[in-house]
Amino acid sequence: MAAVDSWSWFPALALGVSFLKCLFITAYHSTDFEVHRNWLAITHSLPVSRWYHENTSEWTLDYPPLFAWFELGLSHAARHFDPDMLLVENLNYASPSTVLFQRLSVIFTDLLFIYAARECCRCVQDQKGSRDVLNRPSFVLAVLLLWNFGLLIVDHIHFQYNGFLFGFLLLSVAKHLQRQHLQGALLFSVLLNLKHIYLYVAPAYGVYLLRSYCFTQDNKDGSVSWSSFSPLRLLALGGIVASVCALSFGPFIAMGQLPQVLSRLFPFKRGLCHAYWAPNIWALYNTLDKILATLGVRLKLLQEAGLPRASMTGGLVQEFQHSVLPSVTPSITLVCTLLSILPAVASIWFRPRGARGFLRCLLLCALGSFVFGWHVHEKAILIAILPLSILAVENREDAGIFLVLTTTGHYSLFPLLFTPAELPIKVSLMLLFTIYSFTALRKLYSGRGSLLRPLESVYLLGLVGVAFACEVAFPLSPWQQKLPFLPLLATSVYCSLGVCYSFLRLYASLLRPPGKPKQP
């Protein structure tokens, strides 16, 4: 009976956030709403052979085939709400019934995320003797996951299916923490075939499973025992990956359409940065290039007419050149990304630390790809924020990194909701989540000093000034007409500093020799 009572709070948290999501049904939605409506129409109305060729809308199908099959399944329910939403030619169709269906589909598929959050909470050990449910690590983790500010606004206002996808990721992580490695591998294989952005963390999975599952023993010095290699385990993993890929891509391979599918999944002719610069190293690089170009023109070292005019923020297909600094190509970003994650994956090979070492490597792969990747979307920061929640309730130093990364990463999502009606919503939700994160984690580690270093506190306070300037002062200033991009630039650059700093701090915690914890 005690075991049942100890988890009676979880359904209440899940129901509460589900009701909150329902309140956003009539809120603003982005072009991603039309993207997914169009994919419903494509998969429902057209034969499979035309799915990755259809281009009536500019929002062509560019997710892996398994997600297309998922959209096909949703379309059979959608026809009972409004069959007109399933017509390919009905561009920008958003009847009340269509809005209701698509919003409810996100809320319903979030059930997988709720289950995954529950499994992650089970992997966290509660403090002995802790009778206060609100101060238990499992309870804090449940709130940090279920009520995550970024996921709420990206999925249930802006509109996407990230909760459904993160359900697979977190459930896969939980299975590895529970030493159920084949189940974890299966879940991640399914996830990769639903959305290929999770290739960001594939190196962590590949190296960890090879090192800690296919090799069954270590030498006394901790190095790998090559004689312990299990071909059967490798075949089992390979069979899982091959089977999932065959189910997803098989029909398109049989039709000879694999090159066409891949060209949709990897459109390298898009710009270095998305329409709104994700807060990463390239946002800082672009800004430096603009500053140098402006100084060059004013000092008459450069001719303004000779500078390239192409935009660096193409949301659709677009290539560009920098004005002063060397232009960055996809191959350069790939090399930078691989170099940035190499120490992390090498660490779990040469110095494995179990499933939590894998989780730390996963976070660094996610952040390395976010910081150095090509055409990164700002929403991808959630790939690091959500799994980091697990470590934050278990380790004091990780809690401090979590507070910096989460506050910075969540604020960087503010430009996604740019309509005045949503301003009170995003400010209120972020304040509530941020205040809870700080207070709950501080209580969790009470008596052990501050979670933040002085400069980290100053930096986070600076976000308040940036928010006031961008959301309140700038719209009332005359600069709004002359420099409309300035708030986006300021947000991206300021948040880039916090994201890059968190990346470096996580690396320091991974590479630090065991047995020598550093107290901030």
Side-chain angles (χ1 to χ4, degrees):
M1 186 66 180
V4 176
D5 291 341
S6 66
W7 284 92
S8 60
W9 47 265
F10 190 88
L13 281 179
L15 282 173
V17 75
S18 298
F19 285 131
L20 177 64
K21 295 169 184 176
C22 292
L23 298 179
F24 300 143
I25 287 178
T26 58
Y28 153 84
H29 54 77
S30 71
T31 53
D32 280 328
F33 181 90
E34 169 60 15
V35 169
H36 288 281
R37 186 216 60 81
N38 185 53
W39 294 357
L40 286 173
I42 289 173
T43 54
H44 186 85
S45 305
L46 302 179
V48 176
S49 60
R50 291 182 56 192
W51 285 2
Y52 285 92
H53 289 275
E54 167 59 36
N55 60 1
T56 300
S57 168
E58 62 182 331
W59 312 116
T60 53
L61 182 57
D62 59 4
Y63 274 25
L66 198 58
F67 197 90
W69 299 118
F70 167 70
E71 292 276 10
L72 176 62
L74 288 179
S75 71
H76 288 291
R79 64 182 180 178
H80 297 293
F81 283 75
D82 185 349
D84 288 342
M85 79 171 84
L86 302 175
L87 300 177
V88 175
E89 60 272 17
N90 273 358
L91 301 182
N92 300 310
Y93 186 78
S95 68
S97 296
T98 301
V99 173
L100 178 63
F101 169 76
Q102 291 200 231
R103 292 292 197 191
L104 289 178
S105 68
V106 178
I107 296 172
F108 177 77
T109 54
D110 270 0
L111 290 174
L112 178 63
F113 180 77
I114 293 172
Y115 174 68
R118 171 69 180 266
E119 289 301 300
C120 287
C121 291
R122 288 183 178 276
C123 297
V124 173
Q125 290 188 353
D126 286 329
Q127 299 167 346
K128 293 182 179 180
S130 176
R131 296 183 178 181
D132 187 356
V133 172
L134 301 182
N135 290 333
R136 292 177 184 172
S138 57
F139 180 88
V140 175
L141 177 59
V143 177
L144 295 181
L145 292 176
L146 296 178
W147 291 76
N148 180 270
F149 163 77
L151 205 53
L152 283 175
I153 68 165
V154 169
D155 275 13
H156 302 281
I157 301 180
H158 181 81
F159 192 86
Q160 278 190 344
Y161 289 91
N162 290 291
F164 171 67
L165 299 170
F166 277 119
F168 281 99
L169 179 64
L170 293 180
L171 194 55
S172 173
V173 169
K175 293 302 178 183
H176 286 303
L177 292 173
Q178 297 164 2
R179 302 186 64 81
Q180 299 177 27
H181 297 301
L182 290 180
Q183 292 184 37
L186 174 62
L187 289 163
F188 184 68
S189 298
V190 171
L191 176 62
L192 270 185
N193 282 273
L194 285 169
K195 191 170 183 179
H196 52 303
I197 194 174
Y198 293 95
L199 281 170
Y200 285 1
V201 298
Y205 273 88
V207 174
Y208 172 68
L209 287 170
L210 181 61
R211 176 65 176 85
S212 299
Y213 180 72
C214 294
F215 288 93
T216 58
Q217 292 181 358
D218 292 339
N219 294 320
K220 292 181 179 180
D221 61 357
S223 61
V224 62
S225 174
W226 295 99
S227 61
S228 69
F229 176 70
S230 171
L232 289 178
R233 290 192 172 195
L234 182 61
L235 286 174
L237 287 174
I240 287 173
V241 175
S243 299
V244 175
C245 290
L247 288 172
S248 177
F249 284 88
F252 300 93
I253 295 174
M255 292 183 291
Q257 292 190 8
L258 183 59
Q260 174 63 20
V261 173
L262 294 179
S263 70
R264 286 283 184 87
L265 299 186
F266 302 101
F268 287 116
K269 289 187 177 180
R270 292 182 178 180
L272 172 64
C273 297
H274 195 240
Y276 155 58
W277 295 351
N280 61 12
I281 198 71
W282 305 124
L284 300 175
Y285 189 86
N286 291 345
T287 303
L288 179 60
D289 182 73
K290 286 184 175 292
I291 292 173
L292 292 175
T294 302
L295 289 175
V297 170
R298 291 191 175 184
L299 296 175
K300 298 183 179 180
L301 298 175
L302 297 173
Q303 295 294 326
E304 187 173 3
L307 297 178
R309 299 246 175 217
S311 170
M312 290 184 289
T313 61
L316 296 173
V317 176
Q318 190 170 179
E319 295 179 288
F320 66 89
Q321 290 182 336
H322 286 89
S323 301
V324 178
L325 298 176
S327 293
V328 180
T329 63
S331 58
I332 291 175
T333 63
L334 176 61
V335 170
C336 291
T337 301
L338 292 177
L339 290 175
S340 73
I341 68 174
L342 184 59
V345 295
S347 175
I348 61 171
W349 177 271
F350 292 107
R351 197 175 63 191
R353 297 181 179 179
R356 278 166 175 76
F358 152 71
L359 178 55
R360 196 174 297 277
C361 178
L362 181 150
L363 291 169
L364 286 166
C365 287
L367 278 176
S369 301
F370 182 87
V371 169
F372 294 102
W374 177 267
H375 198 75
V376 172
H377 288 237
E378 65 286 334
K379 298 178 284 291
I381 193 63
L382 296 176
I383 301 177
I385 288 176
L386 288 166
L388 182 56
S389 306
I390 301 172
L391 296 181
V393 300
E394 294 184 327
N395 181 277
R396 177 174 166 270
E397 184 177 1
D398 291 329
I401 300 172
F402 172 83
L403 292 176
V404 175
L405 181 63
T406 301
T407 308
T408 305
H410 282 168
Y411 178 72
S412 74
L413 300 175
F414 262 40
L416 291 176
L417 305 183
F418 53 85
T419 56
E422 273 66 45
L423 178 60
I425 296 176
K426 66 183 182 182
V427 171
S428 300
L429 286 177
M430 180 166 177
L431 280 176
L432 287 172
F433 183 84
T434 304
I435 291 171
Y436 176 80
S437 300
F438 273 81
T439 55
L441 291 175
R442 190 175 293 135
K443 286 183 179 179
L444 207 57
Y445 300 102
S446 60
R448 304 189 211 175
S450 175
L451 295 178
L452 296 177
R453 298 169 178 176
L455 285 179
E456 293 171 350
S457 300
V458 171
Y459 171 79
L460 293 181
L461 287 174
L463 276 176
V464 178
V466 173
F468 179 82
C470 294
E471 303 289 344
V472 180
F474 185 81
L476 301 177
S477 72
W479 292 349
Q480 185 179 19
Q481 300 299 324
K482 297 179 181 179
L483 303 170
F485 62 87
L486 196 56
L488 295 180
L489 180 65
T491 300
S492 180
V493 169
Y494 196 84
C495 292
S496 297
L497 300 174
V499 171
C500 294
Y501 171 80
S502 300
F503 177 55
L504 294 176
R505 272 205 68 185
L506 270 174
Y507 243 125
S509 68
L510 176 77
L511 301 179
R512 186 177 302 126
K516 295 182 180 181
K518 182 180 179 181
Q519 295 300 329

